[in-house]
Amino acid sequence: MSAPAPAAPGTDSGTSPSATAPPRPKGRRRATLVIGLALTALVVVVAAVSLVWLPYPLTDISGGRLSAPSLAHPLGTDRLGRDLLSQLMVGARIALTVGAGAVAIAAVLGTAIGLAAAFARPWLDDTLSAGLDVVIAFPVLLLAMLVVAVQGPSLGSAILAIGLAMSAVIARLTRILSRRVLQEQFVTAARTSGTRTAGIVWHHILPNIAPTLAVSLALQFGVAVLAEASLSYLGLGAPPPNASWGRMLQEAQGTVLTAPVGAIAPGLAVIVLVLGVNFLADGLRDVTDPTRRRTR
């Protein structure tokens, strides 16, 4: 059985920074989690519906150029006559796909590198840590642009590029948390009893660092959504006929005064999803961190 989760990184004394801050009222913590779930679920439902139904095919240009919102086209049409609601729904699917894929890559690769650094000899640990610091010093978008420039613009390239860029953040966090767990007495007892490294990782380290990693990955999901929108805005995301929110913003910038819905709708969609996952991550942190709970 693993010991209680170690304190979050940030202090030399092993005390979580949140331990010195007053805990949030229970109602506020619950509201944050509920709002995050509601906003995220809204986008997920829209993306799921787009898999089985769309108002119009993405290649349909029969709606007329820059038509105003109407019953036939609730959000109007773009400069090519394509339905904006259909594009927005497909954009939700792409945003979630890129976010989930990038987070999965960052979780697997970052956790593996972080665990390797935690168990490595000092010289190798220092080398890996220095390399991670160099990668983290560069913005995620810049690193993603470099990878996409080599691979070529596509949905898969965007997922790979963003995932690789975010993996350094997860790797450094995993290393810090893992080294803290390795200093605990229950790990020393496990080693003394002959437990192998794989057993220590599986039964002691991962259960203790999983809650903190989950919160960090939820925050990285929002970063991935913004990075994908930025890549698509620059023409480095999924190519047409894929409808990305970033591409919708790029195409609507020339007609923002005559047809503002084309820019407002995808902009609001990005805000809703990013706020949703950030509220969700904040709520998860309150739930998983006992120092932030109000005691009677």
PDB file of all heavy atoms in Angstrom, residues 103-144:
ATOM      1  N   VAL A 103      -1.897  15.769 -25.113  1.00  0.00           N
ATOM      2  CA  VAL A 103      -1.765  15.464 -23.691  1.00  0.00           C
ATOM      3  C   VAL A 103      -1.333  14.012 -23.496  1.00  0.00           C
ATOM      4  O   VAL A 103      -0.520  13.708 -22.604  1.00  0.00           O
ATOM      5  CB  VAL A 103      -3.088  15.754 -22.964  1.00  0.00           C
ATOM      6  CG1 VAL A 103      -3.102  15.113 -21.574  1.00  0.00           C
ATOM      7  CG2 VAL A 103      -3.301  17.258 -22.829  1.00  0.00           C
ATOM      8  N   ALA A 104      -1.854  13.104 -24.314  1.00  0.00           N
ATOM      9  CA  ALA A 104      -1.453  11.697 -24.199  1.00  0.00           C
ATOM     10  C   ALA A 104       0.034  11.529 -24.496  1.00  0.00           C
ATOM     11  O   ALA A 104       0.751  10.811 -23.772  1.00  0.00           O
ATOM     12  CB  ALA A 104      -2.286  10.838 -25.148  1.00  0.00           C
ATOM     13  N   ILE A 105       0.518  12.192 -25.550  1.00  0.00           N
ATOM     14  CA  ILE A 105       1.943  12.119 -25.878  1.00  0.00           C
ATOM     15  C   ILE A 105       2.781  12.720 -24.761  1.00  0.00           C
ATOM     16  O   ILE A 105       3.802  12.146 -24.340  1.00  0.00           O
ATOM     17  CB  ILE A 105       2.220  12.842 -27.211  1.00  0.00           C
ATOM     18  CG1 ILE A 105       1.572  12.088 -28.365  1.00  0.00           C
ATOM     19  CG2 ILE A 105       3.721  12.985 -27.450  1.00  0.00           C
ATOM     20  CD1 ILE A 105       1.687  12.799 -29.701  1.00  0.00           C
ATOM     21  N   ALA A 106       2.353  13.888 -24.261  1.00  0.00           N
ATOM     22  CA  ALA A 106       3.100  14.539 -23.182  1.00  0.00           C
ATOM     23  C   ALA A 106       3.105  13.683 -21.917  1.00  0.00           C
ATOM     24  O   ALA A 106       4.121  13.614 -21.213  1.00  0.00           O
ATOM     25  CB  ALA A 106       2.500  15.912 -22.890  1.00  0.00           C
ATOM     26  N   ALA A 107       1.975  13.018 -21.623  1.00  0.00           N
ATOM     27  CA  ALA A 107       1.897  12.198 -20.419  1.00  0.00           C
ATOM     28  C   ALA A 107       2.831  11.000 -20.503  1.00  0.00           C
ATOM     29  O   ALA A 107       3.584  10.715 -19.557  1.00  0.00           O
ATOM     30  CB  ALA A 107       0.459  11.736 -20.205  1.00  0.00           C
ATOM     31  N   VAL A 108       2.805  10.292 -21.622  1.00  0.00           N
ATOM     32  CA  VAL A 108       3.632   9.086 -21.758  1.00  0.00           C
ATOM     33  C   VAL A 108       5.112   9.439 -21.824  1.00  0.00           C
ATOM     34  O   VAL A 108       5.940   8.911 -21.063  1.00  0.00           O
ATOM     35  CB  VAL A 108       3.207   8.287 -23.005  1.00  0.00           C
ATOM     36  CG1 VAL A 108       4.160   7.117 -23.234  1.00  0.00           C
ATOM     37  CG2 VAL A 108       1.780   7.788 -22.864  1.00  0.00           C
ATOM     38  N   LEU A 109       5.452  10.342 -22.735  1.00  0.00           N
ATOM     39  CA  LEU A 109       6.861  10.686 -22.924  1.00  0.00           C
ATOM     40  C   LEU A 109       7.415  11.447 -21.720  1.00  0.00           C
ATOM     41  O   LEU A 109       8.521  11.152 -21.242  1.00  0.00           O
ATOM     42  CB  LEU A 109       7.017  11.520 -24.199  1.00  0.00           C
ATOM     43  CG  LEU A 109       8.446  11.890 -24.610  1.00  0.00           C
ATOM     44  CD1 LEU A 109       9.265  10.626 -24.856  1.00  0.00           C
ATOM     45  CD2 LEU A 109       8.430  12.765 -25.858  1.00  0.00           C
ATOM     46  N   GLY A 110       6.645  12.418 -21.231  1.00  0.00           N
ATOM     47  CA  GLY A 110       7.127  13.208 -20.105  1.00  0.00           C
ATOM     48  C   GLY A 110       7.286  12.389 -18.845  1.00  0.00           C
ATOM     49  O   GLY A 110       8.279  12.543 -18.115  1.00  0.00           O
ATOM     50  N   THR A 111       6.328  11.500 -18.569  1.00  0.00           N
ATOM     51  CA  THR A 111       6.435  10.661 -17.375  1.00  0.00           C
ATOM     52  C   THR A 111       7.628   9.717 -17.470  1.00  0.00           C
ATOM     53  O   THR A 111       8.353   9.507 -16.490  1.00  0.00           O
ATOM     54  CB  THR A 111       5.146   9.859 -17.178  1.00  0.00           C
ATOM     55  OG1 THR A 111       4.036  10.754 -17.079  1.00  0.00           O
ATOM     56  CG2 THR A 111       5.213   9.019 -15.909  1.00  0.00           C
ATOM     57  N   ALA A 112       7.851   9.149 -18.649  1.00  0.00           N
ATOM     58  CA  ALA A 112       8.980   8.233 -18.827  1.00  0.00           C
ATOM     59  C   ALA A 112      10.312   8.948 -18.622  1.00  0.00           C
ATOM     60  O   ALA A 112      11.209   8.437 -17.917  1.00  0.00           O
ATOM     61  CB  ALA A 112       8.925   7.606 -20.222  1.00  0.00           C
ATOM     62  N   ILE A 113      10.448  10.128 -19.203  1.00  0.00           N
ATOM     63  CA  ILE A 113      11.706  10.874 -19.051  1.00  0.00           C
ATOM     64  C   ILE A 113      11.894  11.315 -17.600  1.00  0.00           C
ATOM     65  O   ILE A 113      13.000  11.244 -17.049  1.00  0.00           O
ATOM     66  CB  ILE A 113      11.719  12.087 -19.996  1.00  0.00           C
ATOM     67  CG1 ILE A 113      11.724  11.621 -21.459  1.00  0.00           C
ATOM     68  CG2 ILE A 113      12.941  12.961 -19.726  1.00  0.00           C
ATOM     69  CD1 ILE A 113      11.620  12.752 -22.459  1.00  0.00           C
ATOM     70  N   GLY A 114      10.814  11.771 -16.971  1.00  0.00           N
ATOM     71  CA  GLY A 114      10.918  12.214 -15.588  1.00  0.00           C
ATOM     72  C   GLY A 114      11.299  11.090 -14.641  1.00  0.00           C
ATOM     73  O   GLY A 114      12.121  11.281 -13.730  1.00  0.00           O
ATOM     74  N   LEU A 115      10.719   9.905 -14.846  1.00  0.00           N
ATOM     75  CA  LEU A 115      11.075   8.764 -14.004  1.00  0.00           C
ATOM     76  C   LEU A 115      12.518   8.336 -14.240  1.00  0.00           C
ATOM     77  O   LEU A 115      13.240   7.977 -13.292  1.00  0.00           O
ATOM     78  CB  LEU A 115      10.128   7.599 -14.289  1.00  0.00           C
ATOM     79  CG  LEU A 115       8.692   7.761 -13.790  1.00  0.00           C
ATOM     80  CD1 LEU A 115       7.820   6.620 -14.309  1.00  0.00           C
ATOM     81  CD2 LEU A 115       8.646   7.824 -12.263  1.00  0.00           C
ATOM     82  N   ALA A 116      12.934   8.379 -15.506  1.00  0.00           N
ATOM     83  CA  ALA A 116      14.322   8.017 -15.806  1.00  0.00           C
ATOM     84  C   ALA A 116      15.293   8.975 -15.130  1.00  0.00           C
ATOM     85  O   ALA A 116      16.325   8.551 -14.586  1.00  0.00           O
ATOM     86  CB  ALA A 116      14.539   8.023 -17.323  1.00  0.00           C
ATOM     87  N   ALA A 117      14.964  10.263 -15.140  1.00  0.00           N
ATOM     88  CA  ALA A 117      15.843  11.235 -14.488  1.00  0.00           C
ATOM     89  C   ALA A 117      15.860  11.046 -12.976  1.00  0.00           C
ATOM     90  O   ALA A 117      16.897  11.217 -12.324  1.00  0.00           O
ATOM     91  CB  ALA A 117      15.386  12.651 -14.838  1.00  0.00           C
ATOM     92  N   ALA A 118      14.712  10.687 -12.400  1.00  0.00           N
ATOM     93  CA  ALA A 118      14.629  10.508 -10.949  1.00  0.00           C
ATOM     94  C   ALA A 118      15.482   9.334 -10.477  1.00  0.00           C
ATOM     95  O   ALA A 118      16.045   9.372  -9.373  1.00  0.00           O
ATOM     96  CB  ALA A 118      13.178  10.304 -10.531  1.00  0.00           C
ATOM     97  N   PHE A 119      15.593   8.272 -11.283  1.00  0.00           N
ATOM     98  CA  PHE A 119      16.350   7.086 -10.904  1.00  0.00           C
ATOM     99  C   PHE A 119      17.778   7.111 -11.451  1.00  0.00           C
ATOM    100  O   PHE A 119      18.567   6.216 -11.138  1.00  0.00           O
ATOM    101  CB  PHE A 119      15.650   5.826 -11.410  1.00  0.00           C
ATOM    102  CG  PHE A 119      14.480   5.411 -10.572  1.00  0.00           C
ATOM    103  CD1 PHE A 119      13.203   5.857 -10.873  1.00  0.00           C
ATOM    104  CD2 PHE A 119      14.639   4.588  -9.466  1.00  0.00           C
ATOM    105  CE1 PHE A 119      12.112   5.486 -10.112  1.00  0.00           C
ATOM    106  CE2 PHE A 119      13.551   4.212  -8.692  1.00  0.00           C
ATOM    107  CZ  PHE A 119      12.290   4.660  -9.007  1.00  0.00           C
ATOM    108  N   ALA A 120      18.102   8.111 -12.276  1.00  0.00           N
ATOM    109  CA  ALA A 120      19.404   8.132 -12.935  1.00  0.00           C
ATOM    110  C   ALA A 120      20.511   8.531 -11.968  1.00  0.00           C
ATOM    111  O   ALA A 120      20.274   9.084 -10.892  1.00  0.00           O
ATOM    112  CB  ALA A 120      19.380   9.097 -14.112  1.00  0.00           C
ATOM    113  N   ARG A 121      21.726   8.250 -12.383  1.00  0.00           N
ATOM    114  CA  ARG A 121      22.885   8.697 -11.625  1.00  0.00           C
ATOM    115  C   ARG A 121      22.966  10.228 -11.669  1.00  0.00           C
ATOM    116  O   ARG A 121      22.413  10.853 -12.576  1.00  0.00           O
ATOM    117  CB  ARG A 121      24.160   8.078 -12.197  1.00  0.00           C
ATOM    118  CG  ARG A 121      24.222   6.558 -12.043  1.00  0.00           C
ATOM    119  CD  ARG A 121      25.505   5.997 -12.614  1.00  0.00           C
ATOM    120  NE  ARG A 121      25.572   4.545 -12.465  1.00  0.00           N
ATOM    121  CZ  ARG A 121      25.983   3.919 -11.386  1.00  0.00           C
ATOM    122  NH1 ARG A 121      26.406   4.630 -10.337  1.00  0.00           N
ATOM    123  NH2 ARG A 121      26.019   2.604 -11.322  1.00  0.00           N
ATOM    124  N   PRO A 122      23.662  10.833 -10.727  1.00  0.00           N
ATOM    125  CA  PRO A 122      23.675  12.306 -10.664  1.00  0.00           C
ATOM    126  C   PRO A 122      24.068  12.994 -11.957  1.00  0.00           C
ATOM    127  O   PRO A 122      23.454  13.986 -12.355  1.00  0.00           O
ATOM    128  CB  PRO A 122      24.684  12.584  -9.535  1.00  0.00           C
ATOM    129  CG  PRO A 122      24.605  11.384  -8.656  1.00  0.00           C
ATOM    130  CD  PRO A 122      24.373  10.227  -9.589  1.00  0.00           C
ATOM    131  N   TRP A 123      25.103  12.483 -12.637  1.00  0.00           N
ATOM    132  CA  TRP A 123      25.552  13.163 -13.855  1.00  0.00           C
ATOM    133  C   TRP A 123      24.512  13.077 -14.961  1.00  0.00           C
ATOM    134  O   TRP A 123      24.295  14.044 -15.702  1.00  0.00           O
ATOM    135  CB  TRP A 123      26.880  12.568 -14.328  1.00  0.00           C
ATOM    136  CG  TRP A 123      26.778  11.127 -14.810  1.00  0.00           C
ATOM    137  CD1 TRP A 123      26.971  10.006 -14.066  1.00  0.00           C
ATOM    138  CD2 TRP A 123      26.467  10.687 -16.130  1.00  0.00           C
ATOM    139  NE1 TRP A 123      26.790   8.882 -14.827  1.00  0.00           N
ATOM    140  CE2 TRP A 123      26.485   9.265 -16.106  1.00  0.00           C
ATOM    141  CE3 TRP A 123      26.188  11.333 -17.330  1.00  0.00           C
ATOM    142  CZ2 TRP A 123      26.220   8.497 -17.229  1.00  0.00           C
ATOM    143  CZ3 TRP A 123      25.926  10.583 -18.460  1.00  0.00           C
ATOM    144  CH2 TRP A 123      25.949   9.171 -18.400  1.00  0.00           C
ATOM    145  N   LEU A 124      23.818  11.923 -15.051  1.00  0.00           N
ATOM    146  CA  LEU A 124      22.781  11.786 -16.073  1.00  0.00           C
ATOM    147  C   LEU A 124      21.543  12.598 -15.698  1.00  0.00           C
ATOM    148  O   LEU A 124      20.902  13.212 -16.561  1.00  0.00           O
ATOM    149  CB  LEU A 124      22.415  10.311 -16.236  1.00  0.00           C
ATOM    150  CG  LEU A 124      21.349   9.977 -17.296  1.00  0.00           C
ATOM    151  CD1 LEU A 124      21.763  10.522 -18.663  1.00  0.00           C
ATOM    152  CD2 LEU A 124      21.104   8.476 -17.361  1.00  0.00           C
ATOM    153  N   ASP A 125      21.235  12.640 -14.419  1.00  0.00           N
ATOM    154  CA  ASP A 125      20.111  13.445 -13.951  1.00  0.00           C
ATOM    155  C   ASP A 125      20.343  14.920 -14.268  1.00  0.00           C
ATOM    156  O   ASP A 125      19.440  15.627 -14.739  1.00  0.00           O
ATOM    157  CB  ASP A 125      19.924  13.237 -12.452  1.00  0.00           C
ATOM    158  CG  ASP A 125      18.766  14.057 -11.893  1.00  0.00           C
ATOM    159  OD1 ASP A 125      17.839  14.377 -12.657  1.00  0.00           O
ATOM    160  OD2 ASP A 125      18.789  14.372 -10.690  1.00  0.00           O
ATOM    161  N   ASP A 126      21.558  15.391 -14.002  1.00  0.00           N
ATOM    162  CA  ASP A 126      21.886  16.785 -14.286  1.00  0.00           C
ATOM    163  C   ASP A 126      21.790  17.077 -15.787  1.00  0.00           C
ATOM    164  O   ASP A 126      21.315  18.146 -16.201  1.00  0.00           O
ATOM    165  CB  ASP A 126      23.284  17.117 -13.783  1.00  0.00           C
ATOM    166  CG  ASP A 126      23.372  17.085 -12.265  1.00  0.00           C
ATOM    167  OD1 ASP A 126      22.315  17.186 -11.613  1.00  0.00           O
ATOM    168  OD2 ASP A 126      24.496  16.933 -11.735  1.00  0.00           O
ATOM    169  N   THR A 127      22.236  16.123 -16.605  1.00  0.00           N
ATOM    170  CA  THR A 127      22.182  16.318 -18.057  1.00  0.00           C
ATOM    171  C   THR A 127      20.746  16.391 -18.552  1.00  0.00           C
ATOM    172  O   THR A 127      20.383  17.278 -19.343  1.00  0.00           O
ATOM    173  CB  THR A 127      22.924  15.177 -18.768  1.00  0.00           C
ATOM    174  OG1 THR A 127      24.278  15.121 -18.317  1.00  0.00           O
ATOM    175  CG2 THR A 127      22.890  15.381 -20.280  1.00  0.00           C
ATOM    176  N   LEU A 128      19.916  15.447 -18.084  1.00  0.00           N
ATOM    177  CA  LEU A 128      18.512  15.459 -18.494  1.00  0.00           C
ATOM    178  C   LEU A 128      17.803  16.717 -17.995  1.00  0.00           C
ATOM    179  O   LEU A 128      17.006  17.327 -18.729  1.00  0.00           O
ATOM    180  CB  LEU A 128      17.812  14.215 -17.955  1.00  0.00           C
ATOM    181  CG  LEU A 128      18.203  12.876 -18.586  1.00  0.00           C
ATOM    182  CD1 LEU A 128      17.514  11.718 -17.857  1.00  0.00           C
ATOM    183  CD2 LEU A 128      17.819  12.850 -20.068  1.00  0.00           C
ATOM    184  N   SER A 129      18.071  17.122 -16.776  1.00  0.00           N
ATOM    185  CA  SER A 129      17.435  18.307 -16.223  1.00  0.00           C
ATOM    186  C   SER A 129      17.821  19.558 -16.996  1.00  0.00           C
ATOM    187  O   SER A 129      16.976  20.430 -17.267  1.00  0.00           O
ATOM    188  CB  SER A 129      17.823  18.473 -14.748  1.00  0.00           C
ATOM    189  OG  SER A 129      17.403  17.357 -13.985  1.00  0.00           O
ATOM    190  N   ALA A 130      19.087  19.654 -17.371  1.00  0.00           N
ATOM    191  CA  ALA A 130      19.528  20.806 -18.156  1.00  0.00           C
ATOM    192  C   ALA A 130      18.850  20.827 -19.526  1.00  0.00           C
ATOM    193  O   ALA A 130      18.427  21.881 -20.012  1.00  0.00           O
ATOM    194  CB  ALA A 130      21.048  20.782 -18.316  1.00  0.00           C
ATOM    195  N   GLY A 131      18.733  19.649 -20.130  1.00  0.00           N
ATOM    196  CA  GLY A 131      18.051  19.581 -21.415  1.00  0.00           C
ATOM    197  C   GLY A 131      16.586  19.972 -21.322  1.00  0.00           C
ATOM    198  O   GLY A 131      16.052  20.678 -22.190  1.00  0.00           O
ATOM    199  N   LEU A 132      15.922  19.522 -20.253  1.00  0.00           N
ATOM    200  CA  LEU A 132      14.519  19.894 -20.054  1.00  0.00           C
ATOM    201  C   LEU A 132      14.366  21.397 -19.844  1.00  0.00           C
ATOM    202  O   LEU A 132      13.427  22.012 -20.362  1.00  0.00           O
ATOM    203  CB  LEU A 132      13.944  19.133 -18.862  1.00  0.00           C
ATOM    204  CG  LEU A 132      13.796  17.618 -19.024  1.00  0.00           C
ATOM    205  CD1 LEU A 132      13.324  16.992 -17.723  1.00  0.00           C
ATOM    206  CD2 LEU A 132      12.828  17.286 -20.153  1.00  0.00           C
ATOM    207  N   ASP A 133      15.290  21.996 -19.100  1.00  0.00           N
ATOM    208  CA  ASP A 133      15.219  23.438 -18.869  1.00  0.00           C
ATOM    209  C   ASP A 133      15.375  24.214 -20.168  1.00  0.00           C
ATOM    210  O   ASP A 133      14.725  25.253 -20.365  1.00  0.00           O
ATOM    211  CB  ASP A 133      16.303  23.858 -17.872  1.00  0.00           C
ATOM    212  CG  ASP A 133      16.021  23.363 -16.461  1.00  0.00           C
ATOM    213  OD1 ASP A 133      14.844  23.064 -16.165  1.00  0.00           O
ATOM    214  OD2 ASP A 133      16.970  23.260 -15.668  1.00  0.00           O
ATOM    215  N   VAL A 134      16.245  23.720 -21.046  1.00  0.00           N
ATOM    216  CA  VAL A 134      16.433  24.392 -22.335  1.00  0.00           C
ATOM    217  C   VAL A 134      15.154  24.317 -23.168  1.00  0.00           C
ATOM    218  O   VAL A 134      14.719  25.306 -23.773  1.00  0.00           O
ATOM    219  CB  VAL A 134      17.617  23.768 -23.102  1.00  0.00           C
ATOM    220  CG1 VAL A 134      17.680  24.309 -24.527  1.00  0.00           C
ATOM    221  CG2 VAL A 134      18.920  24.049 -22.375  1.00  0.00           C
ATOM    222  N   VAL A 135      14.520  23.140 -23.194  1.00  0.00           N
ATOM    223  CA  VAL A 135      13.295  22.980 -23.982  1.00  0.00           C
ATOM    224  C   VAL A 135      12.166  23.832 -23.399  1.00  0.00           C
ATOM    225  O   VAL A 135      11.413  24.481 -24.132  1.00  0.00           O
ATOM    226  CB  VAL A 135      12.876  21.498 -24.017  1.00  0.00           C
ATOM    227  CG1 VAL A 135      11.538  21.338 -24.724  1.00  0.00           C
ATOM    228  CG2 VAL A 135      13.940  20.669 -24.733  1.00  0.00           C
ATOM    229  N   ILE A 136      12.048  23.850 -22.079  1.00  0.00           N
ATOM    230  CA  ILE A 136      10.981  24.616 -21.436  1.00  0.00           C
ATOM    231  C   ILE A 136      11.163  26.113 -21.661  1.00  0.00           C
ATOM    232  O   ILE A 136      10.191  26.874 -21.672  1.00  0.00           O
ATOM    233  CB  ILE A 136      10.936  24.286 -19.929  1.00  0.00           C
ATOM    234  CG1 ILE A 136      10.496  22.834 -19.724  1.00  0.00           C
ATOM    235  CG2 ILE A 136       9.994  25.213 -19.170  1.00  0.00           C
ATOM    236  CD1 ILE A 136      10.573  22.363 -18.294  1.00  0.00           C
ATOM    237  N   ALA A 137      12.404  26.546 -21.871  1.00  0.00           N
ATOM    238  CA  ALA A 137      12.656  27.972 -22.079  1.00  0.00           C
ATOM    239  C   ALA A 137      12.016  28.484 -23.364  1.00  0.00           C
ATOM    240  O   ALA A 137      11.750  29.691 -23.488  1.00  0.00           O
ATOM    241  CB  ALA A 137      14.159  28.243 -22.099  1.00  0.00           C
ATOM    242  N   PHE A 138      11.759  27.602 -24.314  1.00  0.00           N
ATOM    243  CA  PHE A 138      11.134  28.000 -25.564  1.00  0.00           C
ATOM    244  C   PHE A 138       9.613  27.870 -25.438  1.00  0.00           C
ATOM    245  O   PHE A 138       9.113  26.900 -24.871  1.00  0.00           O
ATOM    246  CB  PHE A 138      11.622  27.133 -26.719  1.00  0.00           C
ATOM    247  CG  PHE A 138      13.059  27.370 -27.095  1.00  0.00           C
ATOM    248  CD1 PHE A 138      14.080  26.660 -26.494  1.00  0.00           C
ATOM    249  CD2 PHE A 138      13.391  28.326 -28.046  1.00  0.00           C
ATOM    250  CE1 PHE A 138      15.403  26.877 -26.823  1.00  0.00           C
ATOM    251  CE2 PHE A 138      14.705  28.560 -28.396  1.00  0.00           C
ATOM    252  CZ  PHE A 138      15.717  27.834 -27.789  1.00  0.00           C
ATOM    253  N   PRO A 139       8.858  28.824 -25.993  1.00  0.00           N
ATOM    254  CA  PRO A 139       7.390  28.710 -25.955  1.00  0.00           C
ATOM    255  C   PRO A 139       6.912  27.468 -26.689  1.00  0.00           C
ATOM    256  O   PRO A 139       7.544  27.011 -27.653  1.00  0.00           O
ATOM    257  CB  PRO A 139       6.911  29.993 -26.666  1.00  0.00           C
ATOM    258  CG  PRO A 139       8.074  30.937 -26.582  1.00  0.00           C
ATOM    259  CD  PRO A 139       9.302  30.079 -26.610  1.00  0.00           C
ATOM    260  N   VAL A 140       5.788  26.917 -26.217  1.00  0.00           N
ATOM    261  CA  VAL A 140       5.225  25.718 -26.834  1.00  0.00           C
ATOM    262  C   VAL A 140       4.922  25.966 -28.314  1.00  0.00           C
ATOM    263  O   VAL A 140       5.195  25.116 -29.166  1.00  0.00           O
ATOM    264  CB  VAL A 140       3.943  25.288 -26.089  1.00  0.00           C
ATOM    265  CG1 VAL A 140       3.223  24.170 -26.846  1.00  0.00           C
ATOM    266  CG2 VAL A 140       4.280  24.835 -24.680  1.00  0.00           C
ATOM    267  N   LEU A 141       4.376  27.128 -28.630  1.00  0.00           N
ATOM    268  CA  LEU A 141       4.014  27.421 -30.015  1.00  0.00           C
ATOM    269  C   LEU A 141       5.233  27.443 -30.916  1.00  0.00           C
ATOM    270  O   LEU A 141       5.193  26.933 -32.041  1.00  0.00           O
ATOM    271  CB  LEU A 141       3.274  28.758 -30.091  1.00  0.00           C
ATOM    272  CG  LEU A 141       2.832  29.199 -31.500  1.00  0.00           C
ATOM    273  CD1 LEU A 141       1.899  28.161 -32.109  1.00  0.00           C
ATOM    274  CD2 LEU A 141       2.165  30.562 -31.444  1.00  0.00           C
ATOM    275  N   LEU A 142       6.337  28.003 -30.442  1.00  0.00           N
ATOM    276  CA  LEU A 142       7.548  28.071 -31.258  1.00  0.00           C
ATOM    277  C   LEU A 142       8.086  26.681 -31.541  1.00  0.00           C
ATOM    278  O   LEU A 142       8.454  26.368 -32.692  1.00  0.00           O
ATOM    279  CB  LEU A 142       8.601  28.920 -30.551  1.00  0.00           C
ATOM    280  CG  LEU A 142       9.953  29.061 -31.280  1.00  0.00           C
ATOM    281  CD1 LEU A 142       9.751  29.679 -32.652  1.00  0.00           C
ATOM    282  CD2 LEU A 142      10.924  29.893 -30.450  1.00  0.00           C
ATOM    283  N   LEU A 143       8.142  25.833 -30.516  1.00  0.00           N
ATOM    284  CA  LEU A 143       8.612  24.471 -30.730  1.00  0.00           C
ATOM    285  C   LEU A 143       7.681  23.707 -31.666  1.00  0.00           C
ATOM    286  O   LEU A 143       8.131  22.935 -32.526  1.00  0.00           O
ATOM    287  CB  LEU A 143       8.716  23.751 -29.384  1.00  0.00           C
ATOM    288  CG  LEU A 143       9.803  24.254 -28.424  1.00  0.00           C
ATOM    289  CD1 LEU A 143       9.703  23.515 -27.095  1.00  0.00           C
ATOM    290  CD2 LEU A 143      11.183  24.079 -29.029  1.00  0.00           C
ATOM    291  N   ALA A 144       6.368  23.922 -31.506  1.00  0.00           N
ATOM    292  CA  ALA A 144       5.414  23.251 -32.378  1.00  0.00           C
ATOM    293  C   ALA A 144       5.582  23.704 -33.824  1.00  0.00           C
ATOM    294  O   ALA A 144       5.486  22.898 -34.759  1.00  0.00           O
ATOM    295  CB  ALA A 144       3.992  23.522 -31.897  1.00  0.00           C
TER     296      ALA A 144
END
